[in-house]
Amino acid sequence: MKQLRIPIVAILLSLVLAGCDETRKTQPNVAVAFVNAAPSFSSVSVLREETTATDLDYRQSAGGSFGADTYDFHLEVGPPGDNRERPVSFTLELVPGTEYTIVATELNGELQQRIFETSNDTGGVGIIHLAPLLAAVDVYVLTPGTAPAAANPLGTVSFGQQREPASIIDGDVEIVLTEASNPSAELLRSPTISLPGGASIVLTIVDDAGLGFADVAVIVSGAANFSVVDQDLQSSIRVINAVSDGSPRDFGLNGNLEPPLLPGVAFQTASDYTLITAGMPNLTVTPAGNPGVVELDLPFSADPGRLETIFIAGNAGDLGGAISFDDLRPIVNEAKINFFNGADLFQFVDFFVVLPGTNIDEAQPTTTLQSRNLVSNIAIVPGDYELTIRD
């Protein structure tokens, strides 16, 4: 069975948050987890009072603690800047002996919050079903390789429902979703993960919603913070050829170029996406039709259910590359831009995306990139802009 890998570019951040108000230092700490289950928003910022507690992309979670007290929380969305929207605000009393999960979700495109409360004396796994395209499911936490028919589910949940925590086995487990009352119809079996004994975990079931091509995903929050999709899903990659000699390139995996996985990719062209086995392969690059001249063997993480772009640039025989996870979700009131720098003549370039007539000498760059690098999914307000690239 595959062990869960958390690659650098796809890691789902586990942040330690702490309330630091002087007047609340003497209060006992209360555990709080935050979950972003709102796919129509590129990211959600959680504010405690007026201080940002965490920023979460879709399918990310974060956990920490605050002193027991009553707080005002806010959820902010939108591109960075002074005009971010704050569609959700609420007051929550954090009571000792209770653990809280605050979930950013949505209904008909409007941001909402769900709050899941559990006693910290019991531990176990709670469940929230927030995948509108998914029917009722049975949820299992099993030893690796166990068939659902040989065990009892933690519970059955339909969209919008939540289940109180149930005790589970400690150690290495797999999260399994099946159709309700049909244990032979597996919808998701996670990679093997390790859950700490006696800890409180909440599983939030969501749609992939364009972040990749999985039908369903599970966000784990509480004592551990990450998300999983089905372990048997493939990955999908495409390649951009920005090699300065302008010649086509062949691309293969782990030195296998007979035939190439992506043959003859032309200069300044992005290949089609192609499915590959998830794992940690190397991308092998050669001049088209010349497999004996290996110009680059680039290791990368091919994550299950994700779409990835690999950008290759440099001079013939001296290539480098960068990788991004592609996010194809349509975002409310936002546009997204990806930037690539294949210009070896300049060590760094500034990209400015500004309103027409803006003096860029008085503006901050939208991004600055070293050669052979990229940055993806920069959010901006839709509209008309001027693009300037400067050494």
Side-chain angles (χ1 to χ4, degrees):
M1 291 295 168
K2 302 173 186 173
Q3 295 291 323
L4 177 65
R5 296 179 303 275
I6 306 180
I8 291 174
V9 293
I11 186 167
L12 298 177
L13 309 178
S14 176
L15 308 179
V16 177
L17 314 173
C20 58
D21 296 340
E22 292 296 327
T23 61
R24 290 163 170 159
K25 279 186 175 179
T26 59
Q27 300 293 332
N29 284 337
V30 177
V32 182
F34 303 102
V35 177
N36 183 354
S40 297
F41 301 87
S42 59
S43 66
V44 175
S45 296
V46 182
L47 285 76
R48 180 189 60 91
E49 309 296 348
E50 294 300 319
T51 301
T52 300
T54 186
D55 297 302
L56 296 174
D57 290 336
Y58 181 54
R59 273 179 37 191
Q60 284 188 342
S61 59
S65 63
F66 300 104
D69 209 325
T70 299
Y71 297 93
D72 291 329
F73 287 94
H74 311 280
L75 303 182
E76 284 191 349
V77 295
D82 297 329
N83 297 317
R84 286 172 61 83
E85 299 179 4
R86 185 178 287 186
V88 174
S89 296
F90 57 94
T91 300
L92 180 62
E93 182 184 4
L94 303 183
V95 178
T98 302
E99 297 184 350
Y100 298 83
T101 301
I102 299 174
V103 183
T105 183
E106 61 183 84
L107 179 64
N108 299 325
E110 294 186 1
L111 192 68
Q112 298 185 335
Q113 90 277 3
R114 294 280 296 263
I115 300 173
F116 190 77
E117 300 181 11
T118 58
S119 170
N120 65 5
D121 295 330
T122 57
V125 173
I127 306 165
I128 306 174
H129 187 330
L130 294 176
L133 301 180
L134 189 66
V137 296
D138 287 340
V139 181
Y140 299 79
V141 177
L142 305 172
T143 55
T146 302
N152 294 320
L154 299 183
T156 302
V157 285
S158 299
F159 174 64
Q161 292 184 335
Q162 59 188 49
R163 297 278 301 191
E164 292 300 313
S167 60
I168 62 165
I169 58 174
D170 300 336
D172 289 344
V173 296
E174 293 174 345
I175 299 167
V176 179
L177 307 184
T178 72
E179 294 178 0
S181 302
N182 187 4
S184 64
E186 289 192 15
L187 304 173
L188 177 149
R189 180 178 287 267
S190 77
T192 299
I193 61 177
S194 182
L195 296 182
S200 294
I201 298 289
V202 174
L203 307 180
T204 304
I205 303 168
V206 295
D207 296 327
D208 200 42
L211 188 63
F213 54 89
D215 292 328
V216 61
V218 174
I219 307 170
V220 180
S221 61
N225 293 278
F226 51 87
S227 73
V228 294
V229 297
D230 187 78
Q231 61 173 264
D232 291 328
L233 281 177
Q234 293 180 287
S235 181
S236 185
I237 65 168
R238 66 172 182 168
V239 173
I240 295 176
N241 175 8
V243 181
S244 61
D245 65 4
S247 299
R249 289 300 189 279
D250 288 342
F251 299 90
L253 295 180
N254 301 319
N256 184 5
L257 294 157
E258 297 181 359
L261 177 71
L262 296 167
V265 178
F267 178 58
Q268 294 184 343
T269 298
S271 71
D272 293 332
Y273 285 104
T274 188
L275 291 171
I276 64 171
T277 301
M280 300 289 291
N282 284 6
L283 182 74
T284 304
V285 186
T286 69
N290 191 357
V293 179
V294 175
E295 297 178 288
L296 180 66
D297 249 345
L298 179 69
F300 70 100
S301 174
D303 279 16
R306 292 305 305 266
L307 301 165
E308 302 178 40
T309 293
I310 306 177
F311 177 65
I312 302 298
N315 299 313
D318 177 26
L319 306 185
I323 301 152
S324 70
F325 287 85
D326 299 334
D327 183 349
L328 304 185
R329 291 174 299 141
I331 302 301
V332 175
N333 298 325
E334 288 186 26
K336 292 182 289 188
I337 303 180
N338 301 331
F339 296 93
F340 304 86
N341 179 11
D344 263 10
L345 293 177
F346 308 96
Q347 184 177 6
F348 292 92
V349 295
D350 291 333
F351 292 84
F352 295 84
V353 180
V354 296
L355 295 174
T358 299
N359 180 358
I360 64 169
D361 291 331
E362 300 175 355
Q364 292 294 318
T366 305
T367 190
T368 298
L369 277 180
Q370 192 171 9
S371 181
R372 310 182 188 187
N373 275 281
L374 63 84
V375 62
S376 60
N377 302 313
I378 290 184
I380 64 170
V381 176
D384 294 331
Y385 294 90
E386 294 176 346
L387 171 64
T388 300
I389 303 173
R390 184 177 69 181
D391 181 17

